[in-house]
Amino acid sequence: MEIRDPIHNTIELSDEEVKIIDSAAFQRLRAIKQLGFAEFSFPGATHNRYIHSIGVCHLAGMAFDSIFKDFPFSSSEVRNRLRQAVRLAALLHDIGHGPLSHTTEEVMPKLKNLKLDIYNSRRTDMAIDPELNRPDRKANHEDYTIKMLVDSSLTEIIKDQFSDMTPYHIACLVDKTLEEKDDYFVDKDLNFRTILSQIVSSELDADRMDYLVRDAYFCGTNYGKVELSWLLSNMTYFEKKNHLHLAINRRALYTFDDFLLSRHHMHLMVYFHHKSIIYEEMLMRYL
């Protein structure tokens, strides 16, 4: 299926990905505004997390193709399943957001009510914040994302459509603290999990790339306009201790610098606009 998008033009989705998008879990993202109350300052900012998530999926696939265009995978099957895994993680990275996005996290239930047994095993090679496993802390949208991936009606759709991966593998790319249970992300003794996770969430990820240009477009501002094509074409990998990490070619260094500055300016002028902050505070007091 092809989708016409004002930011990326034509976005192509496989039949299996369309099944995910057609699910009730994903369709609810149509009703969740990307920028919450920002439309009261920027009337055009009424876009939703539905199209943003599809845009992130598209960019994640482009990033993968750019980084690994000449990489000698052991087989085309391995390349295709790793590419599909990162596209799905990007597509579903926001699936756990509540209405009005971050504001309603103030009234989410406690983590223990989600009964996420997979949180009992965290990676031992990371400095894990003890708060993450505290059962009486408030759940957040990341917790709900993992819940919807591994224990919901969406879980069965993923299993039915993608036989060469499990919902847990996708969850491992969304949440870097989850323990790897097998060698799914390993090929030729190289572990791809870190770099695939960084394509989904890092200082230079598909999520930030999409929301910066998309938010700037719908807000009618120039702050978030960056050279995505140049950034994508200069993304590469760096190997350290048999793990691949996301890197960028030196010639795109100042484009990346501009990317970081654009994010800073968008936070100052759009995301932290005083009207949005006031409305969010009023909602939090009401909740």
Side-chain angles (χ1 to χ4, degrees):
M1 183 175 79
E2 292 182 347
I3 291 178
R4 296 295 299 272
D5 178 52
I7 306 302
H8 307 303
N9 298 316
T10 301
I11 296 177
E12 295 186 2
L13 299 164
S14 68
D15 292 342
E16 293 79 11
E17 289 168 341
V18 171
K19 293 288 186 182
I20 301 294
I21 290 172
D22 285 344
S23 68
F26 196 87
Q27 286 293 316
R28 62 181 284 278
L29 296 180
R30 288 182 182 272
I32 301 178
K33 292 178 181 177
Q34 177 74 11
L35 294 182
F37 290 113
E39 66 172 301
F40 291 102
S41 305
F42 305 93
T46 58
H47 55 302
N48 53 41
R49 290 196 177 265
Y50 174 88
I51 188 59
H52 162 64
S53 296
I54 292 174
V56 178
C57 172
H58 173 68
L59 289 179
M62 291 181 66
F64 184 95
D65 292 340
S66 176
I67 295 167
F68 299 112
K69 57 181 178 292
D70 298 318
F71 191 88
F73 287 98
S74 61
S75 67
S76 59
E77 288 77 12
V78 172
R79 181 189 187 280
N80 291 339
R81 69 174 169 81
L82 290 179
R83 184 179 188 274
Q84 184 64 79
V86 75
R87 275 178 61 92
L88 285 179
L91 182 67
L92 298 170
H93 79 285
D94 270 353
I95 198 74
H97 267 289
L100 293 167
S101 299
H102 297 283
T103 308
T104 46
E105 290 188 15
E106 292 295 317
V107 291
M108 283 185 173
K110 293 182 178 179
L111 177 63
K112 62 183 179 182
N113 294 341
L114 271 63
K115 300 178 180 178
L116 274 168
D117 295 334
I118 62 171
Y119 276 0
N120 294 330
S121 58
R122 297 277 192 178
R123 292 176 64 177
T124 57
D125 60 334
M126 300 180 70
I128 305 298
D129 183 352
E131 283 287 301
L132 287 175
N133 286 332
R134 192 164 58 83
D136 59 341
R137 73 165 171 85
K138 278 187 184 296
N140 55 40
H141 76 274
E142 284 109 343
D143 299 317
Y144 267 97
T145 293
I146 300 303
K147 176 70 173 180
M148 295 181 78
L149 283 172
V150 302
D151 186 20
S152 73
S153 59
L154 181 63
T155 309
E156 298 307 313
I157 297 175
I158 296 172
K159 290 179 179 178
D160 290 341
Q161 298 299 318
F162 301 95
S163 58
D164 56 352
M165 71 182 75
T166 68
Y168 186 81
H169 291 134
I170 301 171
C172 282
L173 297 184
V174 176
D175 187 339
K176 300 172 185 177
T177 70
L178 294 178
E179 188 72 51
E180 292 180 47
K181 295 181 178 179
D182 52 32
D183 59 355
Y184 182 85
F185 298 107
V186 177
D187 186 44
K188 289 186 173 181
D189 295 326
L190 291 174
N191 193 313
F192 288 77
R193 181 186 176 183
T194 298
I195 191 169
L196 296 182
S197 295
Q198 289 173 328
I199 291 174
V200 178
S201 178
S202 67
E203 287 303 313
L204 183 61
D205 60 25
D207 179 29
R208 287 169 171 80
M209 285 185 182
D210 184 85
Y211 77 59
L212 272 181
V213 294
R214 191 174 300 278
D215 294 349
Y217 175 86
F218 284 103
C219 288
T221 70
N222 287 320
Y223 312 118
K225 293 183 178 179
V226 293
E227 297 180 83
L228 287 189
S229 59
W230 189 245
L231 281 174
L232 287 166
S233 65
N234 281 284
M235 292 173 76
T236 184
Y237 60 86
F238 175 77
E239 181 185 343
K240 183 179 180 181
K241 296 181 180 179
N242 292 342
H243 283 69
L244 295 187
H245 299 259
L246 186 62
I248 191 166
N249 289 320
R250 184 182 298 274
R251 60 183 181 175
L253 181 62
Y254 294 110
T255 307
F256 178 50
D257 187 42
D258 183 53
F259 176 82
L260 295 177
L261 284 172
S262 295
R263 226 180 113 211
H264 175 64
H265 292 154
M266 283 292 285
H267 274 85
L268 289 178
M269 303 304 297
V270 177
Y271 306 139
F272 293 152
H273 192 282
H274 65 277
K275 283 186 182 179
S276 299
I277 299 300
I278 289 168
Y279 276 114
E280 286 181 9
E281 178 64 23
M282 289 171 66
L283 177 62
M284 277 194 279
R285 294 186 184 190
Y286 170 77
L287 294 174

